[in-house]
């Protein structure tokens, strides 16, 4: 290994995790068919372990088909657990697929059909049971189909009430079973629905405060989703952290104002990614560093694992930049002088402060140079 490869080599201590659906993404899009073969979950576990990942995450149906019999389910989960043990891999998070099957086309927990809501709830409870079985500490709830195109069809107040009832029933399930699992709600503004309810992490946080057991529910912000809403992901993550609600995180990247791209972490906006890493490393986040992204459609399986390796390396390189930022005398001196400029609160003078320059151009350029590798 070269010196750089050695330095930024992922290890279990870094707690990097990937969804089975990320490295398993076959490159299907609305305009084209799959370009890569199916990746068996046990192979994903093996290959990610070789790269230094800590674990994998999954939707119920990434592992167990929606129509599996109890016997089939038991065999599949058993083989998977064996692969986890063989490769010292964990499953810190499990989620439920409430968006793929046609039955969910007008919502799952917010469907206006009571029988569909009940089915969705039972499916989510079974996914929580699976999470418990696999040792997960977090259950992510992404309401991809909880939304609308035609607001005449459903009163959004009803939808909110059904959503609340659904999440309350899930926390009840967790508490009565005494599972050591917390729910992390993931926001997204649109896609696959025209508009998705509770479109941002901030909206999720406000919703959580209205639940029966808010202490069991937090958020799973995704960088790409906040960017799709035109927001600064670092600020959304900070709001969650300062509310004690950052239970999990989906790291990836995205060009703002486009379809959900799920790009390799840091690949579009390294400076934005730097501030997220700085926040996670310095803000007391202790959960896994989870990547929810996928390789470009141009890639074969080798490219897929280059992508996975790249996500982790970029994180570690940015983590190193955080240390350099704190140690950089010019940057620190500038921050210090900005904070202490004309000091004395008793002698406050409005006009002096109005005329002061904050030197943020200099500061930002220094950060750029740090990130570009010349400092
Ligand atoms: C889906 C979505 C992601 C969510 C996953 C969890 S599924 O891939 O695009 O952002 O995190 O349900
Ligand atoms: Mn996500
Ligand atoms: Mn996404």
């Amino acid at each position: 290994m070269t010196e750089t490869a050695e330095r930024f080599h992922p290890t279990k201590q870094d707690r990097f995790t990937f969804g089975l659906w990320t490295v398993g993404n076959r490159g299907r899009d609305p305009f084209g068919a799959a370009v890569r073969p199916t990746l068996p979950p046990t192979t994903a576990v093996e290959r990610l372990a070789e790269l230094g990942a800590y674990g994998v995450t999954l939707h119920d149906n990434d592992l167990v088909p929606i129509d599996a019999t109890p016997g089939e389910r038991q065999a599949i989960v058993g083989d998977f657990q064996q692969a986890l043990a063989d490769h010292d891999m964990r499953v810190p998070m499990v989620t439920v697929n409430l968006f793929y099957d046609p039955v969910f086309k007008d919502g799952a927990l917010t469907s206006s059909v009571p029988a569909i809501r009940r089915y969705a709830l039972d499916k989510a409870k079974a996914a929580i049971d699976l999470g418990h079985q696999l040792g997960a500490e977090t259950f992510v709830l992404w309401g991809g189909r909880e939304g609308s195109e035609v607001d005449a069809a459903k009163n959004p107040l009803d939808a909110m009430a059904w959503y609340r009832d659904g999440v309350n029933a899930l926390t009840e399930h967790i508490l009565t079973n005494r599972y050591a699992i917390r729910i992390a709600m993931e926001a997204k503004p649109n896609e696959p629905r025209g508009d998705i309810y509770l479109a941002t992490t901030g909206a999720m946080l406000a919703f959580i405060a209205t639940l029966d057991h808010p202490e069991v529910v937090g958020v799973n912000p995704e960088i790409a989703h906040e960017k799709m809403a035109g927001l600064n992901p670092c600020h959304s993550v900070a709001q969650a952290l300062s509310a004690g609600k950052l239970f999990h995180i989906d790291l990836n990247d995205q060009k703002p104002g486009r379809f959900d791209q799920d790009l390799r972490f840091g690949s579009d906006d390294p400076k934005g990614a730097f501030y997220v890493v700085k926040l996670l490393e310095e803000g007391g986040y202790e959960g896994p560093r989870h990547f929810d992204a996928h390789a470009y459609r141009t890639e074969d399986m080798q490219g897929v694992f280059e992508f996975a390796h790249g996500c982790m390396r970029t994180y570690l390189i940015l983590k190193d930049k955080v240390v350099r930022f704190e140690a950089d005398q010019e940057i620190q001196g500038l921050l210090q002088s900005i904070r202490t400029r004309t000091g004395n609160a008793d002698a406050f003078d409005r006009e002096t402060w109005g005329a002061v320059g904050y030197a943020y151009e200099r500061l930002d350029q220094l950060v750029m140079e740090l990130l570009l590798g010349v400092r």
Side-chain angles (χ1 to χ4, degrees):
M1 253 191 261
T2 65
E3 198 194 320
T4 333
E6 183 86 56
R7 263 182 69 207
F8 301 114
H9 189 66
T11 67
K12 300 274 182 206
Q13 286 73 42
D14 297 313
R15 300 197 69 199
F16 290 130
T17 55
F18 288 85
L20 286 182
W21 69 92
T22 66
V23 287
N25 179 289
R26 300 185 57 201
R28 229 182 248 117
D29 70 19
F31 305 96
V35 293
R36 292 187 284 265
T38 300
L39 178 68
T42 48
T43 311
V45 167
E46 180 187 336
R47 297 293 307 276
L48 287 169
E50 284 165 11
L51 290 179
Y54 170 79
V56 294
T57 67
L58 53 105
H59 298 89
D60 48 356
N61 304 136
D62 296 338
L63 186 63
V64 184
I66 195 165
D67 52 3
T69 63
E72 287 164 345
R73 175 192 151 116
Q74 202 183 340
I76 293 168
V77 174
D79 287 349
F80 185 65
Q81 285 181 305
Q82 187 59 52
L84 293 170
D86 290 347
H87 301 284
D88 190 23
M89 291 280 274
R90 304 277 177 282
V91 179
M93 181 275 269
V94 158
T95 179
V96 61
N97 189 323
L98 295 180
F99 46 88
Y100 191 83
D101 194 272
V103 72
F104 300 127
K105 62 189 167 195
D106 192 28
L109 298 179
T110 63
S111 165
S112 38
V113 180
I116 296 179
R117 294 205 298 277
R118 207 169 316 122
Y119 172 69
L121 201 54
D122 287 344
K123 192 173 190 294
K125 287 179 185 173
I128 290 174
D129 297 342
L130 176 65
H132 172 72
Q133 188 180 352
L134 295 173
E137 66 222 24
T138 306
F139 176 73
V140 162
L141 188 61
W142 173 63
R145 297 279 173 198
E146 317 294 8
S148 72
E149 293 78 31
V150 181
D151 282 324
K154 199 183 296 190
N155 184 335
L157 283 176
D158 288 338
M160 283 304 102
W162 292 328
Y163 214 161
R164 188 175 298 113
D165 289 348
V167 181
N168 281 339
L170 295 181
T171 57
E172 208 52 57
H173 183 71
I174 288 171
L175 294 170
T176 49
N177 284 289
R178 299 177 181 280
Y179 289 158
I181 291 181
R182 299 187 300 178
I183 296 177
M185 298 191 69
E186 177 175 344
K188 189 176 181 181
N190 61 275
E191 199 193 341
R193 297 310 297 263
D195 293 286
I196 298 179
Y197 300 129
L198 304 173
T200 63
T201 295
M204 284 294 178
L205 287 168
F207 175 75
I208 290 166
T210 72
L211 297 172
D212 289 350
H213 296 286
E215 70 284 1
V216 192
V217 188
V219 290
N220 178 47
E222 174 169 319
I223 291 184
H225 298 176
E226 299 299 308
K227 280 198 179 180
M228 286 172 74
L231 302 177
N232 178 332
C234 176
H235 295 185
S236 304
V237 175
Q239 188 190 357
L241 252 179
S242 77
K245 289 294 187 190
L246 189 68
F247 289 4
H248 200 261
I249 188 160
D250 278 0
L251 299 167
N252 58 8
D253 214 346
Q254 170 80 23
K255 287 186 192 291
R258 304 200 182 180
F259 66 95
D260 185 18
Q261 295 175 307
D262 290 335
L263 300 170
R264 191 177 72 257
F265 179 59
S267 60
D268 185 63
D269 176 14
K271 188 161 70 166
F274 167 73
Y275 288 118
V276 170
V277 171
K278 188 168 184 301
L279 195 63
L280 296 179
E281 295 300 319
E282 297 179 340
Y285 174 71
E286 283 170 0
R289 274 61 176 165
H290 179 248
F291 298 105
D292 181 8
H294 54 74
Y296 303 126
R297 192 165 183 267
T298 48
E299 301 310 289
D300 58 11
M301 286 318 285
Q302 190 181 335
V304 168
F305 289 100
E306 286 289 343
F307 143 84
H309 193 208
C311 285
M312 296 189 281
R313 274 180 65 77
T314 297
Y315 190 99
L316 292 176
I317 292 166
L318 292 174
K319 188 174 160 182
D320 178 66
K321 297 288 184 192
V322 173
V323 175
R324 286 169 188 264
F325 177 95
E326 300 300 352
D328 189 302
Q329 290 192 356
E330 203 173 344
I331 291 177
Q332 292 308 316
L334 200 50
L335 281 173
Q336 195 59 26
S337 78
I338 292 166
R339 283 168 195 151
T340 54
R341 188 91 39 90
T342 40
N344 195 348
D346 298 336
F348 177 76
D349 181 69
R350 181 179 56 81
E351 286 188 5
T352 306
W353 277 106
V356 141
Y358 278 73
Y360 289 171
E361 283 289 355
R362 176 89 191 117
L363 179 63
D364 189 55
Q365 181 63 23
L366 288 174
V367 172
M368 284 306 294
E369 294 188 10
L370 185 90
L371 295 177
L372 291 171
V374 297
R375 293 189 70 80

PDB file of all heavy atoms in Angstrom, residues 4 9 12 36 40 44 48-49 68 80 118 120 154 156 201 233 243 256 272-273 287 293 318 321 330 350 369:
ATOM      1  N   THR A   4      -0.432   7.106   1.267  1.00  0.00           N
ATOM      2  CA  THR A   4      -1.777   7.698   1.319  1.00  0.00           C
ATOM      3  C   THR A   4      -2.833   6.610   1.497  1.00  0.00           C
ATOM      4  O   THR A   4      -3.770   6.765   2.282  1.00  0.00           O
ATOM      5  CB  THR A   4      -2.100   8.463   0.018  1.00  0.00           C
ATOM      6  OG1 THR A   4      -0.910   8.910  -0.559  1.00  0.00           O
ATOM      7  CG2 THR A   4      -3.081   9.572   0.259  1.00  0.00           C
ATOM      8  N   HIS A   9      -7.112   4.261   5.241  1.00  0.00           N
ATOM      9  CA  HIS A   9      -7.686   2.923   5.098  1.00  0.00           C
ATOM     10  C   HIS A   9      -8.799   2.720   6.126  1.00  0.00           C
ATOM     11  O   HIS A   9      -8.567   2.834   7.324  1.00  0.00           O
ATOM     12  CB  HIS A   9      -6.574   1.888   5.298  1.00  0.00           C
ATOM     13  CG  HIS A   9      -7.021   0.516   4.961  1.00  0.00           C
ATOM     14  ND1 HIS A   9      -7.352   0.138   3.680  1.00  0.00           N
ATOM     15  CD2 HIS A   9      -7.226  -0.559   5.740  1.00  0.00           C
ATOM     16  CE1 HIS A   9      -7.739  -1.121   3.690  1.00  0.00           C
ATOM     17  NE2 HIS A   9      -7.672  -1.569   4.909  1.00  0.00           N
ATOM     18  N   LYS A  12     -12.856  -1.074  11.185  1.00  0.00           N
ATOM     19  CA  LYS A  12     -14.117  -1.254  11.941  1.00  0.00           C
ATOM     20  C   LYS A  12     -14.370  -0.093  12.903  1.00  0.00           C
ATOM     21  O   LYS A  12     -15.516   0.282  13.147  1.00  0.00           O
ATOM     22  CB  LYS A  12     -14.064  -2.555  12.768  1.00  0.00           C
ATOM     23  CG  LYS A  12     -13.877  -3.809  11.957  1.00  0.00           C
ATOM     24  CD  LYS A  12     -15.190  -4.365  11.456  1.00  0.00           C
ATOM     25  CE  LYS A  12     -14.959  -5.645  10.690  1.00  0.00           C
ATOM     26  NZ  LYS A  12     -16.018  -5.904   9.701  1.00  0.00           N
ATOM     27  N   ARG A  36     -26.463  -4.133 -14.005  1.00  0.00           N
ATOM     28  CA  ARG A  36     -25.565  -4.955 -13.184  1.00  0.00           C
ATOM     29  C   ARG A  36     -26.342  -6.144 -12.641  1.00  0.00           C
ATOM     30  O   ARG A  36     -27.556  -6.078 -12.467  1.00  0.00           O
ATOM     31  CB  ARG A  36     -25.029  -4.125 -11.999  1.00  0.00           C
ATOM     32  CG  ARG A  36     -24.083  -3.016 -12.417  1.00  0.00           C
ATOM     33  CD  ARG A  36     -23.447  -2.330 -11.220  1.00  0.00           C
ATOM     34  NE  ARG A  36     -24.318  -1.421 -10.520  1.00  0.00           N
ATOM     35  CZ  ARG A  36     -24.377  -0.093 -10.726  1.00  0.00           C
ATOM     36  NH1 ARG A  36     -23.590   0.467 -11.635  1.00  0.00           N
ATOM     37  NH2 ARG A  36     -25.195   0.657 -10.034  1.00  0.00           N
ATOM     38  N   PRO A  40     -25.968 -10.876  -4.169  1.00  0.00           N
ATOM     39  CA  PRO A  40     -26.550 -11.554  -2.997  1.00  0.00           C
ATOM     40  C   PRO A  40     -26.108 -10.859  -1.708  1.00  0.00           C
ATOM     41  O   PRO A  40     -24.946 -10.454  -1.602  1.00  0.00           O
ATOM     42  CB  PRO A  40     -25.951 -12.968  -3.076  1.00  0.00           C
ATOM     43  CG  PRO A  40     -25.437 -13.118  -4.471  1.00  0.00           C
ATOM     44  CD  PRO A  40     -25.057 -11.739  -4.923  1.00  0.00           C
ATOM     45  N   ALA A  44     -22.456  -9.142  -0.476  1.00  0.00           N
ATOM     46  CA  ALA A  44     -22.279  -7.736  -0.090  1.00  0.00           C
ATOM     47  C   ALA A  44     -21.573  -7.660   1.263  1.00  0.00           C
ATOM     48  O   ALA A  44     -20.645  -6.861   1.452  1.00  0.00           O
ATOM     49  CB  ALA A  44     -23.636  -7.036  -0.027  1.00  0.00           C
ATOM     50  N   LEU A  48     -17.910  -5.938   1.513  1.00  0.00           N
ATOM     51  CA  LEU A  48     -17.802  -4.704   2.319  1.00  0.00           C
ATOM     52  C   LEU A  48     -16.876  -4.921   3.516  1.00  0.00           C
ATOM     53  O   LEU A  48     -16.123  -4.013   3.900  1.00  0.00           O
ATOM     54  CB  LEU A  48     -19.183  -4.233   2.774  1.00  0.00           C
ATOM     55  CG  LEU A  48     -20.032  -3.617   1.648  1.00  0.00           C
ATOM     56  CD1 LEU A  48     -21.483  -3.432   2.109  1.00  0.00           C
ATOM     57  CD2 LEU A  48     -19.458  -2.265   1.194  1.00  0.00           C
ATOM     58  N   ALA A  49     -16.911  -6.128   4.080  1.00  0.00           N
ATOM     59  CA  ALA A  49     -15.999  -6.428   5.199  1.00  0.00           C
ATOM     60  C   ALA A  49     -14.554  -6.331   4.722  1.00  0.00           C
ATOM     61  O   ALA A  49     -13.700  -5.756   5.404  1.00  0.00           O
ATOM     62  CB  ALA A  49     -16.290  -7.814   5.757  1.00  0.00           C
ATOM     63  N   ALA A  68     -42.177 -14.285   0.859  1.00  0.00           N
ATOM     64  CA  ALA A  68     -41.498 -15.483   1.394  1.00  0.00           C
ATOM     65  C   ALA A  68     -42.365 -16.186   2.436  1.00  0.00           C
ATOM     66  O   ALA A  68     -43.086 -15.526   3.199  1.00  0.00           O
ATOM     67  CB  ALA A  68     -40.166 -15.075   2.027  1.00  0.00           C
ATOM     68  N   PHE A  80     -27.775 -15.404   6.310  1.00  0.00           N
ATOM     69  CA  PHE A  80     -27.270 -14.035   6.413  1.00  0.00           C
ATOM     70  C   PHE A  80     -26.534 -13.843   7.744  1.00  0.00           C
ATOM     71  O   PHE A  80     -25.440 -13.262   7.786  1.00  0.00           O
ATOM     72  CB  PHE A  80     -28.452 -13.066   6.285  1.00  0.00           C
ATOM     73  CG  PHE A  80     -28.068 -11.622   6.261  1.00  0.00           C
ATOM     74  CD1 PHE A  80     -27.313 -11.095   5.217  1.00  0.00           C
ATOM     75  CD2 PHE A  80     -28.457 -10.773   7.287  1.00  0.00           C
ATOM     76  CE1 PHE A  80     -26.961  -9.753   5.199  1.00  0.00           C
ATOM     77  CE2 PHE A  80     -28.111  -9.427   7.269  1.00  0.00           C
ATOM     78  CZ  PHE A  80     -27.356  -8.919   6.223  1.00  0.00           C
ATOM     79  N   ARG A 118     -53.281  -0.828   7.808  1.00  0.00           N
ATOM     80  CA  ARG A 118     -53.049  -1.931   8.749  1.00  0.00           C
ATOM     81  C   ARG A 118     -51.959  -2.863   8.226  1.00  0.00           C
ATOM     82  O   ARG A 118     -51.076  -3.290   8.963  1.00  0.00           O
ATOM     83  CB  ARG A 118     -54.362  -2.706   8.986  1.00  0.00           C
ATOM     84  CG  ARG A 118     -54.413  -3.383  10.337  1.00  0.00           C
ATOM     85  CD  ARG A 118     -55.802  -3.923  10.674  1.00  0.00           C
ATOM     86  NE  ARG A 118     -56.865  -2.990  10.356  1.00  0.00           N
ATOM     87  CZ  ARG A 118     -57.900  -3.236   9.519  1.00  0.00           C
ATOM     88  NH1 ARG A 118     -58.007  -4.413   8.926  1.00  0.00           N
ATOM     89  NH2 ARG A 118     -58.822  -2.318   9.290  1.00  0.00           N
ATOM     90  N   ALA A 120     -49.550  -2.057   6.184  1.00  0.00           N
ATOM     91  CA  ALA A 120     -48.269  -1.347   6.263  1.00  0.00           C
ATOM     92  C   ALA A 120     -47.715  -1.400   7.687  1.00  0.00           C
ATOM     93  O   ALA A 120     -46.515  -1.617   7.902  1.00  0.00           O
ATOM     94  CB  ALA A 120     -48.449   0.102   5.816  1.00  0.00           C
ATOM     95  N   LYS A 154     -57.140  13.711  -0.827  1.00  0.00           N
ATOM     96  CA  LYS A 154     -56.888  13.343   0.567  1.00  0.00           C
ATOM     97  C   LYS A 154     -56.650  14.614   1.362  1.00  0.00           C
ATOM     98  O   LYS A 154     -55.828  15.439   0.981  1.00  0.00           O
ATOM     99  CB  LYS A 154     -55.629  12.470   0.604  1.00  0.00           C
ATOM    100  CG  LYS A 154     -55.444  11.649   1.833  1.00  0.00           C
ATOM    101  CD  LYS A 154     -54.131  10.871   1.807  1.00  0.00           C
ATOM    102  CE  LYS A 154     -54.079   9.830   0.691  1.00  0.00           C
ATOM    103  NZ  LYS A 154     -52.925   8.926   0.818  1.00  0.00           N
ATOM    104  N   PRO A 156     -54.849  16.657   3.853  1.00  0.00           N
ATOM    105  CA  PRO A 156     -53.541  16.476   4.506  1.00  0.00           C
ATOM    106  C   PRO A 156     -53.638  16.403   6.033  1.00  0.00           C
ATOM    107  O   PRO A 156     -52.769  15.820   6.676  1.00  0.00           O
ATOM    108  CB  PRO A 156     -52.722  17.692   4.049  1.00  0.00           C
ATOM    109  CG  PRO A 156     -53.667  18.624   3.382  1.00  0.00           C
ATOM    110  CD  PRO A 156     -54.883  17.853   3.010  1.00  0.00           C
ATOM    111  N   THR A 201     -36.049  17.611   7.336  1.00  0.00           N
ATOM    112  CA  THR A 201     -35.692  17.161   8.690  1.00  0.00           C
ATOM    113  C   THR A 201     -36.326  18.063   9.742  1.00  0.00           C
ATOM    114  O   THR A 201     -36.799  17.588  10.777  1.00  0.00           O
ATOM    115  CB  THR A 201     -34.153  17.135   8.826  1.00  0.00           C
ATOM    116  OG1 THR A 201     -33.654  16.142   7.922  1.00  0.00           O
ATOM    117  CG2 THR A 201     -33.704  16.814  10.229  1.00  0.00           C
ATOM    118  N   PRO A 233     -27.512  21.045   4.219  1.00  0.00           N
ATOM    119  CA  PRO A 233     -27.599  19.825   5.031  1.00  0.00           C
ATOM    120  C   PRO A 233     -26.903  19.958   6.376  1.00  0.00           C
ATOM    121  O   PRO A 233     -27.382  19.435   7.384  1.00  0.00           O
ATOM    122  CB  PRO A 233     -26.892  18.763   4.180  1.00  0.00           C
ATOM    123  CG  PRO A 233     -26.880  19.294   2.805  1.00  0.00           C
ATOM    124  CD  PRO A 233     -26.895  20.789   2.901  1.00  0.00           C
ATOM    125  N   ALA A 243     -30.970  19.077  19.097  1.00  0.00           N
ATOM    126  CA  ALA A 243     -32.222  18.632  19.724  1.00  0.00           C
ATOM    127  C   ALA A 243     -32.062  17.240  20.345  1.00  0.00           C
ATOM    128  O   ALA A 243     -33.028  16.666  20.843  1.00  0.00           O
ATOM    129  CB  ALA A 243     -33.341  18.615  18.689  1.00  0.00           C
ATOM    130  N   PRO A 256     -28.008  20.274  -6.231  1.00  0.00           N
ATOM    131  CA  PRO A 256     -29.323  20.804  -5.814  1.00  0.00           C
ATOM    132  C   PRO A 256     -30.302  20.923  -6.992  1.00  0.00           C
ATOM    133  O   PRO A 256     -29.880  21.083  -8.145  1.00  0.00           O
ATOM    134  CB  PRO A 256     -28.982  22.203  -5.279  1.00  0.00           C
ATOM    135  CG  PRO A 256     -27.523  22.165  -4.973  1.00  0.00           C
ATOM    136  CD  PRO A 256     -26.918  21.204  -5.941  1.00  0.00           C
ATOM    137  N   GLY A 272     -19.147  21.259   1.380  1.00  0.00           N
ATOM    138  CA  GLY A 272     -20.341  20.961   2.179  1.00  0.00           C
ATOM    139  C   GLY A 272     -20.141  19.685   2.987  1.00  0.00           C
ATOM    140  O   GLY A 272     -20.518  19.601   4.163  1.00  0.00           O
ATOM    141  N   ALA A 273     -19.527  18.680   2.355  1.00  0.00           N
ATOM    142  CA  ALA A 273     -19.281  17.407   3.042  1.00  0.00           C
ATOM    143  C   ALA A 273     -18.311  17.608   4.204  1.00  0.00           C
ATOM    144  O   ALA A 273     -18.466  17.009   5.276  1.00  0.00           O
ATOM    145  CB  ALA A 273     -18.731  16.377   2.060  1.00  0.00           C
ATOM    146  N   GLY A 287     -23.240   7.566  16.388  1.00  0.00           N
ATOM    147  CA  GLY A 287     -23.817   6.483  15.587  1.00  0.00           C
ATOM    148  C   GLY A 287     -22.931   6.112  14.412  1.00  0.00           C
ATOM    149  O   GLY A 287     -21.872   6.699  14.197  1.00  0.00           O
ATOM    150  N   ALA A 293     -26.052   5.743  -0.926  1.00  0.00           N
ATOM    151  CA  ALA A 293     -25.697   6.276  -2.240  1.00  0.00           C
ATOM    152  C   ALA A 293     -25.501   5.077  -3.161  1.00  0.00           C
ATOM    153  O   ALA A 293     -25.605   3.930  -2.727  1.00  0.00           O
ATOM    154  CB  ALA A 293     -24.411   7.079  -2.137  1.00  0.00           C
ATOM    155  N   LEU A 318     -11.610  13.838   4.801  1.00  0.00           N
ATOM    156  CA  LEU A 318     -12.227  15.048   5.345  1.00  0.00           C
ATOM    157  C   LEU A 318     -12.070  15.116   6.868  1.00  0.00           C
ATOM    158  O   LEU A 318     -11.904  16.196   7.443  1.00  0.00           O
ATOM    159  CB  LEU A 318     -13.703  15.129   4.940  1.00  0.00           C
ATOM    160  CG  LEU A 318     -13.929  15.371   3.440  1.00  0.00           C
ATOM    161  CD1 LEU A 318     -15.417  15.290   3.106  1.00  0.00           C
ATOM    162  CD2 LEU A 318     -13.362  16.715   2.983  1.00  0.00           C
ATOM    163  N   LYS A 321      -8.882  16.519   7.437  1.00  0.00           N
ATOM    164  CA  LYS A 321      -8.917  17.971   7.183  1.00  0.00           C
ATOM    165  C   LYS A 321      -9.489  18.718   8.397  1.00  0.00           C
ATOM    166  O   LYS A 321      -9.122  19.862   8.656  1.00  0.00           O
ATOM    167  CB  LYS A 321      -9.771  18.296   5.952  1.00  0.00           C
ATOM    168  CG  LYS A 321      -9.240  17.705   4.646  1.00  0.00           C
ATOM    169  CD  LYS A 321      -7.991  18.400   4.160  1.00  0.00           C
ATOM    170  CE  LYS A 321      -7.553  17.850   2.800  1.00  0.00           C
ATOM    171  NZ  LYS A 321      -6.190  18.306   2.443  1.00  0.00           N
ATOM    172  N   GLU A 330      -3.005  29.892  11.066  1.00  0.00           N
ATOM    173  CA  GLU A 330      -3.559  31.076  10.407  1.00  0.00           C
ATOM    174  C   GLU A 330      -5.091  31.078  10.512  1.00  0.00           C
ATOM    175  O   GLU A 330      -5.715  32.097  10.817  1.00  0.00           O
ATOM    176  CB  GLU A 330      -3.103  31.112   8.947  1.00  0.00           C
ATOM    177  CG  GLU A 330      -3.161  32.511   8.382  1.00  0.00           C
ATOM    178  CD  GLU A 330      -2.547  32.606   6.994  1.00  0.00           C
ATOM    179  OE1 GLU A 330      -1.813  31.667   6.583  1.00  0.00           O
ATOM    180  OE2 GLU A 330      -2.831  33.613   6.318  1.00  0.00           O
ATOM    181  N   ARG A 350     -22.344  51.076  18.051  1.00  0.00           N
ATOM    182  CA  ARG A 350     -23.074  50.540  16.901  1.00  0.00           C
ATOM    183  C   ARG A 350     -22.359  50.829  15.590  1.00  0.00           C
ATOM    184  O   ARG A 350     -22.190  49.941  14.744  1.00  0.00           O
ATOM    185  CB  ARG A 350     -24.485  51.148  16.897  1.00  0.00           C
ATOM    186  CG  ARG A 350     -25.385  50.670  15.767  1.00  0.00           C
ATOM    187  CD  ARG A 350     -26.760  51.313  15.872  1.00  0.00           C
ATOM    188  NE  ARG A 350     -26.696  52.773  15.899  1.00  0.00           N
ATOM    189  CZ  ARG A 350     -26.556  53.533  14.804  1.00  0.00           C
ATOM    190  NH1 ARG A 350     -26.485  52.995  13.623  1.00  0.00           N
ATOM    191  NH2 ARG A 350     -26.506  54.856  14.921  1.00  0.00           N
ATOM    192  N   GLU A 369      -8.176  26.366   0.420  1.00  0.00           N
ATOM    193  CA  GLU A 369      -6.791  25.927   0.190  1.00  0.00           C
ATOM    194  C   GLU A 369      -6.461  24.691   1.020  1.00  0.00           C
ATOM    195  O   GLU A 369      -5.735  23.811   0.568  1.00  0.00           O
ATOM    196  CB  GLU A 369      -5.824  27.093   0.466  1.00  0.00           C
ATOM    197  CG  GLU A 369      -6.030  28.202  -0.568  1.00  0.00           C
ATOM    198  CD  GLU A 369      -5.010  29.327  -0.515  1.00  0.00           C
ATOM    199  OE1 GLU A 369      -4.000  29.208   0.199  1.00  0.00           O
ATOM    200  OE2 GLU A 369      -5.236  30.340  -1.217  1.00  0.00           O
TER     201      GLU A 369
END
